[in-house]
Amino acid sequence: MNGIDIIFKIAGIGLLTAIINVILKKSDKDEVANFVTIAGLVLVLVLVLDMLSGLFDTLKSLLNLY
């Protein structure tokens, strides 16, 4: 996966989360808006952890550790 693709995915998730958050807060559903924010954060963290896993696999193969 290309580096710019990851940046666009993270920005898209952030933008979508922010829009949903604003809509929910305007309709007085603050608790659900907080859950949506947390879900967006968790989704981005899963993407970053997957990228870090790929980085460590590449480093292992590069340094012939396995």
Side-chain angles (χ1 to χ4, degrees), residues 31-43:
E31 295 88 10
V32 179
N34 288 335
F35 285 126
V36 167
T37 303
I38 291 170
L41 179 66
V42 167
L43 192 58

Side-chain angles (χ1 to χ4, degrees), residues 19-30 32-33 36:
I19 290 170
I20 293 172
N21 194 354
V22 168
I23 291 170
L24 287 171
K25 285 198 184 241
K26 293 276 183 178
S27 63
D28 291 330
K29 297 186 179 183
D30 294 333
V32 179
V36 167

Side-chain angles (χ1 to χ4, degrees), residues 10-64:
I10 292 173
I13 292 170
L15 191 62
L16 188 65
T17 303
I19 290 170
I20 293 172
N21 194 354
V22 168
I23 291 170
L24 287 171
K25 285 198 184 241
K26 293 276 183 178
S27 63
D28 291 330
K29 297 186 179 183
D30 294 333
E31 295 88 10
V32 179
N34 288 335
F35 285 126
V36 167
T37 303
I38 291 170
L41 179 66
V42 167
L43 192 58
V44 169
L45 286 176
V46 167
L47 281 173
V48 170
L49 286 176
D50 186 44
M51 288 175 23
L52 282 174
S53 172
L55 174 67
F56 288 139
D57 289 340
T58 304
L59 284 175
K60 276 190 228 178
S61 67
L62 183 66
L63 298 174
N64 294 325

